[in-house]
């Protein structure tokens, strides 16, 4: 390298700092080398030991033009405190270098050519370059090179390289900076003697240093201290695998408690605090923070991919920068409005195990695979019900939605942990792709007659006169009900079907103020000229004893009710427990244009949510949930009942629709199929593709359409209109947990998120 860089020894400033007791140490090394333009030359020496060091026996030796003999020697003197630096700078260097003499924490030292050796008593303790080898104009390439640049020792380096004869590549231990970069000179600090972040994290879920007060240094990789954010920042070792142990994280969360610390991403900070565990996250609390330097390179991004190998696979990355380069699918958005969270999976949305696998070992294996194939992205906020809701950019609205099935790629962020749920706190903006765009109406199903199954999500109309709110279910206020009503009417109107089987309609009879009468009145008011709806009155005050019931409505221009409706209850068959299952409603309809008949049986079987311990029907762990026997027995009774032609239709065509609270491979559905019925969704769409409901980030269909052999041959098509379950539930009619702005911004009187179930539409030629 260029011998002309160096003048006489008298032209260099040697500035030792502090006068402390003399203790000779071997852990002094070169921490920064500035080979800037002109005379902007400097070398920094750092004391990584725990005691002060006398520099009287130390010297810097410079080697030129491939010589093995030093061409210049600069003797050092004074005392270097633990953790302090000594800077040797050219006497004609820029004032910013010479001013280091005024720093009470810095001393002065210098830079060199082919090699620069720091020696103690004539013995090398650290060498930059290779003695006896001329590299030409520089050591290294790119950012980590010496020509007119600055190289700074990584803060994970704690001892010098005493072998001056070995080959030298600065990229291994040094970070590179541009020409005349002086920001870091005079302030080096290294984690020598620990602890390091990996010492704090340990190899387990909890820190082995819990309760200890420690001091450590690392780079800020994520700052979440703004109002309502996480009240802290993440730090990480410069070397993403500093200790070589893949089981220990090199990152850590620093909790500042809302007080705020003036740090920025890229700052090297020294933090003193107490090690704590909060909700599964290892962190430092009660902290004091000092910024050592700014603008440092960030630790290398580590790539992680779904699915994970184990449930705790991300523990080793807690607090660290990671990237997920895959294209991932939104598989759950339920908590988007409340907590700003979105669940992502690889390979498409996650399926409910018993929608695609047999109950038992196969379904449980699928559930285990699902559990390893999802991750949460978070909004970085500590509050609930944020306004605005961050995703999708620039913010969620009724018209700017984020649907399950949408995709995103190349996530970059920091791994956070909350109660064992690993989250990505994003540090780079992302852009979702609307891979599952809204459809304004269901896809065509063909046929001359259309039947729909629709869960109307607790449609309760108060006292029927505009008051009576809150009710036991559904809307809490008249305002909420009007918002709900508008959405349900918009959805049914858009379907343009002839018969609709309803679930979760208020079980308050069939008078003029009943919920079903109110719904039909609303449909008729919204219907175009020539279209009107009517509802089936089964001739009882209520259907069963539950607060909700099934119902049937139809377009009077296309079909008429034939005979009287019938109910399946426990009185008809004791296997049908109507204290848990809602009684089935069956009605025969006649198509006016053809005279064709079919009998529609609408159902709503017992849910999985509450146990049936009184009849010894618990969750057995096979994936079917609570009350599976209760539902299966009801399904068996239903098949046998319909075989008797309960409505006396005299026609062989029977259609079972409704919310069976059972997925495609579960026992109740199998019982109906074994009774001679075809699962139309499986036959026309495929069970692996069909879904009408989402629960815990998994899609499947609880809403069914099954036709007996005679009718199955007359089916022209079937579709699930995904206007509801893919949408964030915060877009529904409810006004609670929303700001005044959001009550309007997140609502539109359209079909989207009218319910939590998607309608199923069947096309027929009866």
């Amino acid at each position: 390298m260029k011998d002309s860089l160096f003048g006489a020894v008298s032209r260099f400033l040697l500035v030792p700092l502090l006068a402390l007791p003399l203790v000779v140490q071997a852990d002094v090394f070169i921490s920064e080398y500035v080979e800037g333009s002109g005379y902007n030359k400097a070398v920094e020496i750092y004391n990584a030991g725990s005691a002060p060091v006398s520099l009287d026996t130390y010297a810097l030796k410079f080697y030129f033009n491939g010589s093995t003999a030093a061409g210049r020697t600069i003797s050092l003197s004074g005392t270097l405190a633990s953790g302090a630096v000594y800077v040797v700078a050219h006497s004609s260097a820029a004032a910013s270098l010479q001013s280091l003499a005024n720093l009470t924490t810095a001393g002065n030292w210098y830079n060199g050519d082919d090699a620069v050796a720091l020696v103690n008593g004539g013995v090398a303790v650290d060498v930059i370059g290779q003695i006896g080898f001329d590299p030409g104009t520089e050591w290294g390439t790119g950012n980590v090179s010496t020509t007119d640049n600055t190289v700074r020792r990584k803060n994970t380096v704690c001892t010098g390289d005493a072998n001056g004869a070995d080959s030298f590549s600065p990229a291994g231990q040094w970070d590179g900076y541009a020409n005349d970069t002086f920001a870091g000179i005079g302030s080096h600090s290294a984690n020598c003697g620990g602890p390091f972040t990996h010492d704090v994290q340990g190899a387990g879920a909890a820190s082995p240093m819990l309760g200890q007060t420690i001091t450590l240094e690392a780079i800020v990789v994520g700052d979440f201290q703004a109002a309502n954010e996480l009240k802290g920042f993440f730090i990480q070792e410069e070397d993403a695998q500093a200790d070589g142990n893949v089981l220990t994280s090199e990152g850590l969360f620093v909790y500042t408690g809302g007080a705020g610390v003036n740090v920025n991403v890229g700052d090297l900070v020294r933090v003193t605090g107490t090690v704590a565990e909060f909700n599964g996250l290892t962190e430092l609390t009660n902290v004091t923070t000092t910024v050592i330097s700014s603008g440092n390179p960030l630790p290398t991004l580590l790539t992680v991919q779904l699915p994970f190998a184990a449930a705790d696979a991300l523990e080793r990355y807690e607090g660290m920068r990671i990237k997920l380069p895959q294209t991932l699918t939104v598989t759950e958005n339920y908590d988007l409005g409340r907590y700003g969270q979105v669940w992502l999976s690889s390979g498409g949305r996650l399926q409910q195990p018993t929608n695609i696998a047999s109950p038992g070992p196969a379904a449980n294996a699928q559930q285990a695979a699902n559990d390893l194939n999802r991750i949460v992205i978070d909004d970085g906020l500590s509050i609930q019900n944020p306004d605005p809701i961050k995703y999708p950019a620039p913010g969620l609205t009724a018209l700017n939605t984020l649907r399950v099935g949408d995709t995103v790629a190349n996530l970059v962020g920091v791994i956070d942990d909350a109660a064992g749920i690993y989250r990505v706190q994003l540090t780079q903006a992302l852009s979702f792709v609307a891979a599952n765009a809204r459809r304004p109406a269901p896809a065509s199903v063909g046929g001359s007659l259309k039947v729909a199954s629709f869960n109307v999500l607790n449609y309760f109309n108060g006292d029927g006169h505009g008051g009576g709110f809150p009710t036991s279910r559904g809307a809490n206020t008249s305002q909420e009900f009007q918002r709900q009503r508008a959405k349900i009417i918009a959805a049914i109107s858009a379907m343009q079907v002839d018969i609709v089987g309803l679930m979760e309609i208020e079980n308050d009879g069939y008078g003029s103020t009943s919920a079903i009468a109110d719904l039909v009145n609303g449909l008729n008011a919204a219907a175009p000229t020539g279209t009107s709806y009517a509802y089936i009155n089964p001739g009882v005050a209520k259907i069963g004893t539950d607060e909700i019931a099934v119902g049937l409505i139809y377009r009077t221009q296309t079909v008429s009710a034939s005979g009287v409706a019938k109910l399946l209850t426990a009185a008809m068959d004791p296997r049908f427990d109507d204290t848990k299952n809602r009684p089935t409603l069956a009605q025969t309809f006649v198509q006016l244009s053809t005279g064709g008949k079919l009998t529609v049986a609408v159902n709503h079987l017992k849910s999985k949510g509450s146990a049936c311990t009184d009849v010894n029907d618990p969750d057995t762990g096979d994936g079917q949930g609570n009350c599976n026997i209760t539902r299966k027995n009801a399904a068996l009774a239903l098949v046998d009942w319909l075989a008797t032609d309960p409505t006396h239709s005299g026609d062989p065509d029977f259609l079972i629709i409704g919310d069976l609270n059972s997925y495609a491979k579960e026992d109740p559905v199998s019982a109906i199929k074994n009774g001679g019925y075809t699962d139309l969704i499986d036959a026309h769409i495929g069970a692996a593709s069909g879904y009408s409901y989402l629960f815990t980030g998994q899609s499947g269909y609880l809403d069914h359409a099954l036709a007996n052999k005679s009718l199955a041959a007359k089916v022209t098509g079937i579709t699930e209109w995904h206007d509801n379950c893919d949408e964030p539930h915060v877009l529904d009619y409810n006004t609670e947990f929303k700001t005044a702005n959001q009550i309007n911004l997140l609502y539109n009187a359209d079909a989207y998120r009218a319910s939590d179930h998607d309608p199923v539409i069947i096309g027929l030629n009866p």
Side-chain angles (χ1 to χ4, degrees):
M1 295 190 291
K2 303 182 288 292
D3 183 69
S4 60
L5 295 177
F6 298 90
V9 174
S10 63
R11 296 178 63 189
F12 293 89
L13 299 175
L14 284 71
V15 188
L17 300 187
L18 305 179
L20 297 172
L22 304 184
V23 179
V24 176
Q25 296 283 321
D27 41 14
V28 175
F29 57 87
I30 300 172
S31 51
E32 188 159 340
Y33 174 91
V34 178
E35 188 178 299
S37 61
Y39 294 119
N40 292 331
K41 319 299 179 186
V43 182
E44 180 189 77
I45 298 169
Y46 177 70
N47 179 9
S50 59
V53 173
S54 169
L55 295 180
D56 293 345
T57 55
Y58 282 78
L60 286 172
K61 291 182 176 293
F62 300 90
Y63 296 82
F64 311 113
N65 304 318
S67 175
T68 58
R72 182 168 294 110
T73 299
I74 299 177
S75 297
L76 309 182
S77 63
T79 300
L80 187 60
S82 171
V85 296
Y86 186 101
V87 178
V88 178
H90 196 288
S91 60
S92 297
S96 57
L97 281 178
Q98 295 194 43
S99 67
L100 294 173
N102 299 322
L103 299 178
T104 58
T105 58
N108 273 359
W109 69 300
Y110 187 67
N111 71 337
D113 259 7
D114 294 353
V116 180
L118 175 65
V119 298
N120 182 14
V123 178
V125 294
D126 194 14
V127 179
I128 300 176
Q130 183 178 354
I131 297 173
F133 179 80
D134 186 351
T137 59
E138 66 179 0
W139 288 105
T141 58
N143 287 335
V144 192
S145 68
T146 55
T147 299
D148 291 340
N149 292 336
T150 294
V151 288
R152 185 180 305 154
R153 217 70 176 254
K154 296 180 182 294
N155 79 334
T156 53
V157 176
C158 297
T159 58
D161 178 5
N163 185 359
D166 61 350
S167 60
F168 177 71
S169 173
Q173 292 190 353
W174 302 78
D175 292 319
Y177 299 86
N179 178 270
D180 288 348
T181 301
F182 309 142
I185 193 89
S187 61
H188 188 76
S189 180
N191 280 323
C192 299
F196 295 88
T197 53
H198 55 256
D199 297 320
V200 181
Q201 287 283 7
S207 172
M209 304 179 72
L210 190 64
Q212 297 182 31
T213 298
I214 63 168
T215 299
L216 51 75
E217 295 174 3
I219 301 292
V220 177
V221 294
D223 186 11
F224 297 90
Q225 297 184 91
N228 300 326
E229 289 189 339
L230 301 179
K231 297 181 175 63
F233 56 91
F234 292 90
I235 58 174
Q236 183 179 334
E237 292 294 320
E238 291 176 287
D239 184 349
Q241 293 292 349
D243 64 342
N245 184 351
V246 297
L247 296 180
T248 59
S249 169
E250 315 301 324
L252 192 65
F253 183 65
V254 179
Y255 179 71
T256 57
V261 176
N262 186 19
V263 299
N264 296 290
V265 172
D267 286 351
L268 174 64
V269 294
R270 181 181 296 116
V271 183
T272 299
T274 303
V275 180
E277 294 285 339
F278 179 76
N279 229 5
L281 179 67
T282 303
E283 62 183 21
L284 287 185
T285 62
N286 302 315
V287 298
T288 57
T289 304
T290 301
V291 175
I292 298 170
S293 62
S294 299
N296 297 285
L298 298 183
T300 303
L301 278 172
L302 297 181
T303 298
V304 300
Q305 292 200 355
L306 290 169
F308 301 123
D312 61 351
L314 291 181
E315 180 65 27
R316 68 193 64 184
Y317 303 112
E318 185 180 276
M320 296 180 69
R321 299 179 74 225
I322 58 93
K323 62 179 177 180
L324 287 93
Q326 300 160 284
T327 295
L328 302 177
T329 300
V330 176
T331 197
E332 178 66 277
N333 55 14
Y334 187 84
D335 285 331
L336 176 58
R338 190 72 181 273
Y339 301 111
Q341 295 180 344
V342 180
W343 284 92
L344 303 175
S345 61
S346 66
R349 67 174 67 227
L350 298 179
Q351 294 287 325
Q352 284 289 347
T354 51
N355 211 63
I356 57 176
S358 298
N364 290 339
Q366 183 62 51
Q367 183 63 67
N370 285 358
D371 292 343
L372 297 177
N373 191 20
R374 52 188 172 194
I375 192 168
V376 175
I377 58 172
D378 195 72
D379 61 0
L381 301 179
S382 61
I383 60 168
Q384 297 183 20
N385 312 306
D387 182 5
I389 297 167
K390 188 173 184 179
Y391 308 121
L396 181 73
T397 71
L399 302 180
N400 185 41
T401 187
L402 178 63
R403 288 167 56 87
V404 172
D406 289 344
T407 60
V408 68
N410 298 315
L411 271 67
V412 175
V414 181
I415 293 295
D416 189 12
D417 184 4
I421 298 177
Y422 295 101
R423 309 178 294 180
V424 180
Q425 302 293 353
L426 296 172
T427 55
Q428 290 185 14
L430 51 77
S431 179
F432 289 95
V433 176
N436 180 29
R438 288 172 167 175
R439 295 183 64 104
S444 175
V445 293
S448 60
L449 184 71
K450 298 179 182 65
V451 181
S453 171
F454 188 27
N455 185 314
V456 294
L457 186 58
N458 298 311
Y459 188 96
F460 280 53
N461 69 326
D463 60 10
H465 297 285
F469 296 97
T471 58
S472 58
R473 297 194 182 193
N476 291 322
T477 65
S478 177
Q479 177 195 19
E480 282 193 342
F481 175 66
Q482 292 303 319
R483 288 157 62 98
Q484 178 189 26
R485 186 175 189 261
K487 281 188 167 289
I488 295 293
I489 290 171
I492 295 176
S493 298
M495 293 181 210
Q496 297 185 9
V497 295
D498 304 289
I499 302 166
V500 184
L502 305 174
M503 286 70 66
E504 295 195 19
I505 191 81
E506 184 179 4
N507 192 14
D508 63 345
Y510 301 90
S512 61
T513 60
S514 65
I516 196 166
D518 176 89
L519 177 57
V520 166
N521 290 339
L523 286 168
N524 286 335
T529 302
T531 297
S532 64
Y533 294 84
Y535 59 88
I536 296 297
N537 182 344
V540 294
K542 292 184 178 182
I543 299 181
T545 59
D546 203 329
E547 292 181 316
I548 55 175
V550 298
L552 280 164
I553 62 177
Y554 61 98
R555 288 205 295 180
T556 59
Q557 284 72 34
T558 55
V559 294
S560 65
S562 176
V564 295
K566 294 294 183 180
L567 299 171
L568 173 58
T569 64
M572 305 296 296
D573 189 324
R575 293 176 297 175
F576 193 97
D577 185 347
D578 59 15
T579 66
K580 295 178 173 60
N581 304 291
R582 269 67 57 169
T584 299
L585 173 64
Q587 175 70 59
T588 300
F589 292 93
V590 178
Q591 185 177 23
L592 298 179
S593 61
T594 65
K597 287 185 177 182
L598 81 156
T599 300
V600 179
V602 59
N603 302 268
H604 192 182
L605 300 187
K606 178 69 179 75
S607 75
K608 302 170 181 284
S610 57
C612 294
T613 54
D614 57 327
V615 292
N616 193 27
D617 188 10
D619 184 346
T620 64
D622 63 357
Q624 300 186 93
N626 291 302
C627 309
N628 179 59
I629 296 173
T630 298
R631 290 187 295 274
K632 179 181 178 181
N633 285 340
L636 292 169
L638 173 63
V639 170
D640 291 345
W641 181 62
L642 291 179
T644 68
D645 189 14
T647 60
H648 306 294
S649 69
D651 187 88
D653 295 343
F654 291 88
L655 179 65
I656 295 172
I657 61 173
D659 182 355
L660 301 183
N661 271 308
S662 306
Y663 293 107
K665 303 296 183 184
E666 294 186 13
D667 294 342
V669 179
S670 296
I672 296 173
K673 291 166 64 176
N674 292 338
Y677 284 75
T678 296
D679 178 351
L680 297 178
I681 294 175
D682 189 19
H684 290 261
I685 299 175
S689 300
Y691 67 93
S692 66
Y693 188 70
L694 274 98
F695 185 68
T696 61
Q698 300 176 141
S699 302
Y701 57 99
L702 299 174
D703 304 273
H704 292 263
L706 300 109
N708 68 346
K709 184 176 181 180
S710 173
L711 184 63
K714 302 174 183 178
V715 173
T716 57
I718 186 169
T719 190
E720 297 158 314
W721 184 24
H722 302 307
D723 62 327
N724 293 322
C725 73
D726 286 337
E727 297 282 344
H729 97 285
V730 74
L731 300 186
D732 67 10
Y733 67 84
N734 287 281
T735 59
E736 63 265 31
F737 306 119
K738 296 172 182 174
T739 64
N741 174 58
Q742 289 177 323
I743 289 173
N744 295 319
L745 188 69
L746 300 177
Y747 177 80
N748 196 38
D750 55 26
Y752 304 113
R753 201 64 192 188
S755 174
D756 55 347
H757 290 247
D758 290 336
V760 179
I761 298 101
I762 309 104
L764 303 160
N765 285 320

